[in-house]
Amino acid sequence: MYGGRSGRRITVRDIAAAKERGEKWPMVTAYDAMTARVFDEAGIPVLLVGDSAAMVVYGHDSTLPVSVDDLMPLTAAVVRGSSRALVVADLPFGSYQASPRQALETAVRFMKEAGAHAVKLEGGRRVLPQVEALVAAGIPVMAHLGLTPQSVNAFGGYRVQGRGQSGDELMADAKDLAAAGAFSVVLECVPADLAERVTASLPIPTIGIGAGPATDAQVLVWQDLMGLTAHPARFVKKYSDLAGEMDRAVRAFADEVTSGAFPTAEHSYR
């Protein structure tokens, strides 16, 4: 899965096979063609066009305001910028909850107009009819349990989910989603021991984000792992200081412009 050079797109069958082999793999978000190309060439097998774009692209303080029309061009750009990764599009808040028909109409748009290869939606048993409708139509579905950011107001904030009795409910939701045909499930901000039990119980891969090391895969928002986020969550590990590098570069450019050192003859046309 990770780092391969198969010459074709990763598919849900490849993801299922990785689960059978016990092979772990990474997933990262992407929102434009240039970063998608970088991640794709690095061998990242799955790229998520997350509704987190609401915050990291559009500047909102939650995922709720982002719309289908906001995410469609981002998804299309990521598809165009990649050649191997499976591109998963988030279904934003309000675009699938009303009915299976609404979910199907939204997912079809992402598949036909943006070229997505799969879609992701949040929730457990309450969205089973939507999952079943999408799978019946031939649309691969990635599920999402635990801290589901679209329900942040119902949770009363960004809190760990699945402690105590609610852990049993999450386990039941995960099994029902797998039975409904979801090809994988994201587990966000749940206790590590619960994520381990869910992973062992499911025939489909689990993708952790703040869910400990036992899940089949891990996902992070790329701006978080690159150090662009000012106050990342506890589960984020910063792998680079891109904010610092960008600050140094733009200050160097500004200093050379104001001093007259840039542009030189080397950067000018005769």
Side-chain angles (χ1 to χ4, degrees):
M1 283 280 288
Y2 165 61
R5 292 289 182 269
S6 60
R8 60 169 177 81
R9 290 277 184 182
I10 295 291
T11 70
V12 294
R13 293 186 64 182
D14 296 315
I15 291 171
K19 169 87 172 184
E20 294 177 2
R21 295 192 301 269
E23 178 185 347
K24 292 181 179 290
W25 47 274
M27 178 169 82
V28 296
T29 62
Y31 314 97
D32 64 83
M34 293 185 73
T35 53
R37 177 181 56 80
V38 171
F39 300 154
D40 191 71
E41 291 180 355
I44 302 299
V46 183
L47 297 176
L48 171 65
V49 186
D51 59 2
S52 49
M55 295 174 284
V56 299
V57 176
Y58 294 111
H60 297 293
D61 60 2
S62 77
T63 64
L64 300 180
V66 79
S67 69
V68 172
D69 289 339
D70 289 331
L71 293 183
M72 287 284 289
L74 306 188
T75 303
V78 170
V79 172
R80 289 193 294 266
S82 60
S83 61
R84 178 178 179 269
L86 176 81
V87 178
V88 182
D90 245 338
L91 301 188
F93 178 69
S95 71
Y96 63 92
Q97 289 91 342
S99 66
R101 178 175 179 177
Q102 183 197 34
L104 182 58
E105 289 174 349
T106 302
V108 165
R109 283 197 65 194
F110 274 106
M111 303 288 281
K112 287 176 67 70
E113 298 176 38
H117 311 121
V119 299
K120 182 173 78 65
L121 50 75
E122 297 181 3
R125 280 162 285 183
R126 62 185 171 82
V127 297
L128 287 179
Q130 284 89 328
V131 173
E132 291 169 347
L134 297 184
V135 172
I139 299 173
V141 176
M142 178 180 288
H144 188 153
L145 293 172
L147 174 57
T148 47
Q150 293 176 13
S151 301
V152 64
N153 290 326
F155 293 148
Y158 295 96
R159 302 172 181 273
V160 175
Q161 303 296 310
R163 287 178 171 147
Q165 182 179 349
S166 64
D168 296 332
E169 296 171 1
L170 188 147
M171 175 71 80
D173 281 341
K175 290 180 177 179
D176 286 346
L177 287 164
F183 74 91
S184 59
V185 57
V186 173
L187 301 176
E188 181 169 357
C189 286
V190 303
D193 60 337
L194 173 62
E196 184 173 10
R197 295 199 307 273
V198 172
T199 300
S201 300
L202 293 187
I204 61 174
T206 58
I207 304 162
I209 177 167
T215 54
D216 297 299
Q218 298 287 336
V219 60
L220 285 176
V221 172
W222 83 259
Q223 289 89 342
D224 288 347
L225 73 91
M226 296 291 185
L228 284 175
T229 306
H231 304 289
R234 174 181 174 178
F235 56 74
V236 172
K237 180 177 179 178
K238 188 170 77 169
Y239 288 85
S240 180
D241 181 22
L242 194 56
E245 289 297 318
M246 292 174 70
D247 180 79
R248 284 188 286 275
V250 77
R251 286 177 185 272
F253 165 69
D255 289 343
E256 290 195 1
V257 168
T258 55
S259 70
F262 176 84
T264 63
E266 179 186 359
H267 304 101
S268 303
Y269 295 100
R270 290 181 179 273

